[in-house]
Amino acid sequence: MSLDIDQIALHQLVKRDEQTLDVVLRDSLLPANAAVEEMMAELHRVYSAKSKAYGLFNEESELAQALRTCRRGDEDFLAFSRAATGRLRDELAKYPFAESSVVLFGQYRYLAVEYLLIAVLNSCNSMRVNEELDISTTHYLDINHADIVARVDLTEWETNPESTRYLTFLKGRVGRKVSDFFMDFLAASEGLDTKAQNRGLLQAVDDYCAEGQLDKNERQNVRQQVYSYCNEQLQAGEEIELQALSAEIAPVGEKDFLQFSSEQGYELEESFPADRGTLRQLTKFAGSGGGISINFDAMLVGERIFWDAATDTLTIRGTPPNLRDQLQRRLNGGK
């Protein structure tokens, strides 16, 4: 992995009691030794593989102002990280879920792009066996389950300040997001809506097929082509490029897909990240609720699966063998 570390600072938040959250600050940067390089490479790998939201700094962001000062050379990276950790503690202390953790600030380069990664990492206990076959407790950073992480594309931020995607972060899933305090600390707001871009792409594909009056098999072939390209980009960690995607789809009528989507006002970016859950709708139908969970290939509609819109009834012809076996055993009294 071509990852070059510039500077890494590590500090700690310590939960003393229910009301006290202290800060323990390092007096020096971490040395870029093999262990540190391995940790940073793993954190970069884990973060890059996760689904992320895009954002930008608010005008009043103290972190952004301090980062600009640091980038100008008016303040060193260690001082920047120490002051930022203090502000992070102040935000986190407002919430009851605050706990001891390690705060990492890493400035590094990857594929000619400069990044600042900020992460709040939990420590976990595990057991190890030493050379004498004795068992002891060891502590490690739980990088694989890190969920309070943000990364600033410094190159994008400084060369294209109007961008709405130079900041990425992980979002919470339910209720009051655990990461809300992190967004308050960053003083950032959401920018590019990745899911909206992917939903717009799906709508554009459906409308493109309708415009060309394609039959069922032709429509499904187009959806499969779109899915195959987008999934390859997703697996490679690359964005969906509309021009490249258009080249994968046979033109319908006088317009190719790029012309059609540009003229119809879908407001799609020239390139945007793929969203796995949204793209899955190109080839599958899925839904759950009321104790029912259903997932099936789109090509089965009209062949083995039929939906009556008037009665909202789904008819399935030919159930999976394992499901059929369960139904038979239950209806026979478990015999």
Side-chain angles (χ1 to χ4, degrees), residues 273-329:
D275 180 71
R276 190 186 310 275
T278 304
L279 292 174
R280 196 175 292 122
Q281 298 174 30
L282 285 165
T283 59
K284 290 184 178 295
F285 286 97
S288 60
I292 297 175
S293 181
I294 298 176
N295 184 326
F296 55 86
D297 291 340
M299 66 179 64
L300 298 180
V301 175
E303 296 181 4
R304 289 178 52 198
I305 297 177
F306 305 87
W307 181 53
D308 186 334
T311 61
D312 192 20
T313 301
L314 198 66
T315 302
I316 302 175
R317 293 181 180 173
T319 56
N322 57 346
L323 174 60
R324 186 163 60 249
D325 180 61
Q326 295 175 61
L327 291 170
Q328 288 174 340
R329 285 190 286 110

Side-chain angles (χ1 to χ4, degrees), residues 6 15 41 45 59 69 71 78 83 86 97 105 141 150 156-157 173 178 186 204 218 245 255 259 323-324 326:
D6 289 334
K15 184 70 173 291
R45 183 193 66 79
E59 291 185 5
T69 300
R71 297 287 289 173
L78 179 63
F97 54 73
F105 294 81
L141 292 176
E156 175 81 3
W157 183 47
R173 293 173 179 251
V178 174
L186 296 169
E218 291 172 330
L245 172 60
K255 299 178 182 178
Q259 291 175 300
L323 174 60
R324 186 163 60 249
Q326 295 175 61

Side-chain angles (χ1 to χ4, degrees), residues 106-244:
Q107 184 178 326
Y108 66 97
R109 290 182 179 86
Y110 179 69
L111 299 180
V113 177
E114 195 168 10
Y115 294 105
L116 170 68
L117 187 141
I118 305 173
V120 179
L121 304 172
N122 293 325
S123 295
C124 293
N125 296 329
S126 184
M127 309 302 293
R128 65 181 294 270
V129 178
N130 61 21
E131 295 178 355
E132 288 74 30
L133 299 182
D134 291 326
I135 295 178
S136 61
T137 301
T138 183
H139 303 278
Y140 67 92
L141 292 176
D142 192 9
I143 291 177
N144 284 330
H145 297 100
D147 58 1
I148 303 177
V149 189
R151 187 171 67 185
V152 183
D153 183 331
L154 296 171
T155 304
E156 175 81 3
W157 183 47
E158 294 175 340
T159 59
N160 184 18
E162 299 303 315
S163 170
T164 61
R165 54 193 301 179
Y166 55 76
L167 173 67
T168 60
F169 57 95
L170 304 181
K171 296 181 66 175
R173 293 173 179 251
V174 294
R176 175 70 174 174
K177 303 179 185 68
V178 174
S179 59
D180 279 359
F181 82 90
F182 202 47
M183 292 301 290
D184 292 339
F185 157 69
L186 296 169
S189 53
E190 292 194 41
L192 177 71
D193 190 333
T194 302
K195 288 186 178 294
Q197 288 287 305
N198 281 259
R199 288 194 297 267
L201 173 63
L202 265 60
Q203 185 62 58
V205 170
D206 283 345
D207 293 347
Y208 185 64
C209 293
E211 174 93 355
Q213 298 181 340
L214 304 185
D215 61 28
K216 176 190 171 182
N217 290 332
E218 291 172 330
R219 290 197 304 271
Q220 193 54 41
N221 286 336
V222 170
R223 293 192 187 101
Q224 185 61 55
Q225 288 176 318
V226 173
Y227 178 79
S228 296
Y229 166 80
C230 293
N231 190 52
E232 287 177 2
Q233 295 298 99
L234 182 65
Q235 297 299 323
E238 302 291 338
E239 296 191 351
I240 297 170
E241 303 277 350
L242 278 187
Q243 187 167 0

